[in-house]
């Protein structure tokens, strides 16, 4: 009985010790910098024996505190090598949620064998912090696969179809194996016609656009006639120029002979919603029905379109008119009831013109936009109908009295 009790106590304290070991790193990470390293691109892929390899590395601070002076280091192992002076690169300060990229150039030994080799990459938040290490696999080879299928770019879909400055969206490409038969005979030897996609990366070729995703790797085999869709998240900057921008889609195929580069266009256009008055904008007796033609001048469909007029001293009903989706070049006529706001100081002023601003809100893909669709002049008549009636009666009396007096004098 005593022996059982001692074992239970020993087991209990062992569990407490294990829990404290696992709990300590978690509690230490709260509010501290935490660095995550990713290989964004390996060029060429697979790495070529006896040639240089470019590694594009991304470091992200996924912790809750600022990393004061980030270093990133590659620990070279055979068959990779690089000069000692180039093993460490400094990134500097890295705030929470921010990323930075660095390029390293490694040489692949000329006597290396084909296959997968590992490499260690280390990071630290500042000079006083310990190194954190992670191991990555890198494929080495030249003519790695014997398949003879050929990959072609079959389709490109942008969403939205035409971007506006500041938009985020996607570019989806469809890759297809052009082979029609399962085998092909070349010089008396039979080969399968599968197409292997080892890697695919989308790179911007002009300023103002950014690809938000890392490359695709090892997507497997495509049989004859099969296809695969690859979606990349992209962003257009606010100051991006209008017109056609281009990406390069780099595809690593069965081997070096099957690699390809494809041009992917992306259109940027800032044209938007416009309004055109379809009849005079005039308040009569303090009231009017204002009418607009709303036009979508953007090259693709806009969704959730709504129009909101506004003028000082004037009320509009409805306050906002919801149209919904609008095709490119579609024209939609809408009406608002306008009424002088007599509770406003502006509504009590004399007749004249006031600026009427018409605001359009809409979605281009997932992006919400708003623009002034028109700055128009509204002719105002601030007198309410009761005042106008009084003025009209006074005018009739003013005309009638002199006429009656003249008639009286003539009879006399």
């Amino acid at each position: 009985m005593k022996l059982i009790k001692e074992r239970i106590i020993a087991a209990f304290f062992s569990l407490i010790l294990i829990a404290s070991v696992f709990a300590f790193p978690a509690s230490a990470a709260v509010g501290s910098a935490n660095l995550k390293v990713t290989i964004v691109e390996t060029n060429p892929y697979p790495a070529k024996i006896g040639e240089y390899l470019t590694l594009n590395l991304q470091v992200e601070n996924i912790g809750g505190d600022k990393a004061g002076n980030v270093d990133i280091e590659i620990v070279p192992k055979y068959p990779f090598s690089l000069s000692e002076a180039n093993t460490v690169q400094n990134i500097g300060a890295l705030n929470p949620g921010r990323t930075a990229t660095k390029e390293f150039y490694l040489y692949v030994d000329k006597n290396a064998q084909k296959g997968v080799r590992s490499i260690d990459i280390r990071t630290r938040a500042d000079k006083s912090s310990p190194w954190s290490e992670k191991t990555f696999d890198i494929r080495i080879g030249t003519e790695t696969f014997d398949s003879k299928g050929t990959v072609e770019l079959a389709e490109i879909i942008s969403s939205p179809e035409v971007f506006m400055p500041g938009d985020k969206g996607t570019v989806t490409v469809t890759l297809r194996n052009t082979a029609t038969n399962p085998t092909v005979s070349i010089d008396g030897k039979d080969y399968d016609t599968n197409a292997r996609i080892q890697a695919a990366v989308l790179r911007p070729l002009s300023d103002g656009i950014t690809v938000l995703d890392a490359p695709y790797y090892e997507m497997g085999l495509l049989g004859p006639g099969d296809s695969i869709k690859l979606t990349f998240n992209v962003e257009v900057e606010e100051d991006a120029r209008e017109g056609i921008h281009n990406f390069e889609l780099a595809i690593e195929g069965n081997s070096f002979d099957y690699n390809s580069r494809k041009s992917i266009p992306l259109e940027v256009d800032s044209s938007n919603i416009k309004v055109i008055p379809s009849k005079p904008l005039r308040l009569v007796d303090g009231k009017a029905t204002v009418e607009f033609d709303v036009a979508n001048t953007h090259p693709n469909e806009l969704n959730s379109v709504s129009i909101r007029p506004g003028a000082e001293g004037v009320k509009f009903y409805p306050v906002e008119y919801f149209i919904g989706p609008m095709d490119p070049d579609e024209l939609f006529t809408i009406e608002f009831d306008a009424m002088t706001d007599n509770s406003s100081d502006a509504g009590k002023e004399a007749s004249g013109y006031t600026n009427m601003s018409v605001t359009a809100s809409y979605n281009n893909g997932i992006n919400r936009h708003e623009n002034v669709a028109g700055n128009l002049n509204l002719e105002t008549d601030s007198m309410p109908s009761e005042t106008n009636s009084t003025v009209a009666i006074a005018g009739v009396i003013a005309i009638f009295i002199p006429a009656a007096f003249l008639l009286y004098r003539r009879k006399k």
Side-chain angles (χ1 to χ4, degrees):
M1 184 69 180
K2 182 179 180 181
L3 179 61
I4 295 173
K5 184 176 180 181
E6 289 176 351
R7 288 181 177 178
I8 292 174
I9 294 173
F12 175 74
F13 281 104
S14 297
L15 290 174
I16 292 176
L17 178 62
I18 292 171
S20 64
V21 169
F22 282 99
F24 177 76
S27 61
V30 175
S32 61
N34 189 4
L35 302 177
K36 175 185 176 183
V37 63
T38 307
I39 296 180
V40 176
E41 183 179 1
T42 305
N43 187 26
Y45 182 87
K48 299 189 184 305
I49 297 172
E51 296 184 16
Y52 277 92
L53 167 70
T54 301
L55 278 185
N56 193 323
L57 306 181
Q58 175 180 280
V59 180
E60 180 181 5
N61 184 359
I62 60 174
D65 200 2
K66 178 180 178 180
N69 192 18
V70 178
D71 287 324
I72 181 168
E73 178 185 24
I74 288 185
V75 182
K77 293 190 297 185
Y78 183 84
F80 306 106
S81 63
L82 72 167
S83 63
E84 184 176 349
N86 296 321
T87 58
V88 180
Q89 292 194 42
N90 180 258
I91 292 174
L94 200 60
N95 289 319
R98 306 297 295 179
T99 62
T101 58
K102 288 291 182 180
E103 283 189 348
F104 288 83
Y105 302 96
L106 291 80
Y107 180 73
V108 183
D109 190 85
K110 62 181 180 180
N111 296 317
Q113 300 297 312
K114 299 177 183 178
V116 176
R117 301 290 183 270
S118 62
I119 192 168
D120 294 331
I121 300 174
R122 306 199 305 173
T123 56
R124 63 183 178 185
D126 53 57
K127 304 297 182 184
S128 62
S129 299
W131 288 99
S132 175
E133 187 172 283
K134 186 175 181 180
T135 301
F136 294 88
D137 289 334
I138 296 178
R139 182 182 294 277
I140 300 175
T142 51
E143 299 293 332
T144 311
F145 307 106
D146 291 330
S147 298
K148 300 299 181 182
T150 303
V151 174
E152 71 166 4
L153 179 61
E155 186 181 37
I156 305 169
I157 298 177
S158 298
S159 179
E161 183 179 348
V162 179
F163 283 64
M164 292 181 175
D167 277 357
K168 290 183 178 180
T170 59
V171 173
T172 301
V173 297
T174 301
L175 303 179
R176 180 177 290 117
N177 182 359
T178 60
T180 56
N181 297 312
T183 60
V184 62
S185 181
I186 302 175
D187 296 331
K189 183 179 179 180
D190 291 334
Y191 299 88
D192 70 66
T193 54
N194 294 324
R196 184 183 296 270
I197 303 176
Q198 300 185 70
V201 57
L202 191 67
R203 303 187 185 99
L205 297 180
S206 58
D207 296 333
I209 51 176
T210 306
V211 179
L212 304 177
D213 295 313
Y216 286 89
Y217 287 113
E218 293 296 346
M219 285 158 285
L221 294 173
L222 293 179
D226 288 346
S227 62
I228 185 173
K229 292 182 183 292
L230 307 179
T231 298
F232 298 89
N233 292 299
V234 300
E235 181 177 9
V236 176
E237 296 177 7
E238 291 285 356
D239 58 353
R241 64 169 176 82
E242 295 192 50
I244 302 297
H245 294 254
N246 286 292
F247 297 96
E248 179 188 71
L249 177 65
I251 303 169
E252 303 288 347
N254 297 333
S255 64
F256 182 77
D257 292 337
Y258 288 84
N259 295 347
S260 61
R261 300 287 188 270
K262 310 291 185 182
S263 180
I264 308 295
L266 183 136
E267 185 177 356
V268 178
D269 192 318
S270 63
S271 57
N272 45 44
I273 297 293
K274 303 293 183 185
V275 297
I276 306 164
S278 52
K279 67 179 186 179
L281 302 176
R282 182 182 301 120
L283 291 174
V284 178
D285 294 339
K287 298 179 181 179
T289 299
V290 293
E291 186 177 282
F292 306 109
D293 288 332
V294 182
N296 176 15
T297 65
H298 195 66
N300 59 246
E301 181 185 72
L302 299 177
N303 296 300
S304 300
V305 179
S306 65
I307 304 297
R308 186 176 67 255
E312 189 177 5
V314 181
K315 291 182 177 179
F316 294 93
Y317 303 96
V319 175
E320 187 169 5
Y321 196 110
F322 183 80
I323 296 175
M326 290 189 71
D327 292 329
D329 291 331
E330 183 176 3
L331 196 68
F332 200 92
T333 302
I334 62 175
E335 290 183 348
F336 291 89
D337 290 331
M339 181 181 299
T340 299
D341 184 6
N342 291 309
S343 63
S344 167
D345 291 337
K348 297 175 183 178
E349 294 175 357
S351 301
Y353 289 91
T354 186
N355 176 260
M356 181 170 64
S357 176
V358 183
T359 302
S361 300
Y362 47 89
N363 284 349
N364 187 37
I366 62 172
N367 308 281
R368 190 65 177 169
H369 289 270
E370 186 172 285
N371 69 273
V372 176
N375 276 314
L376 309 172
N377 287 324
L378 176 64
E379 186 178 350
T380 59
D381 177 4
S382 61
M383 291 182 297
S385 57
E386 295 83 2
T387 305
N388 286 340
S389 299
T390 304
V391 171
I393 293 171
V396 171
I397 292 173
I399 295 171
F400 175 76
I401 291 176
F405 179 75
L406 289 174
L407 181 61
Y408 170 77
R409 291 289 303 270
R410 184 174 296 177
K411 285 184 178 181
K412 187 174 180 180

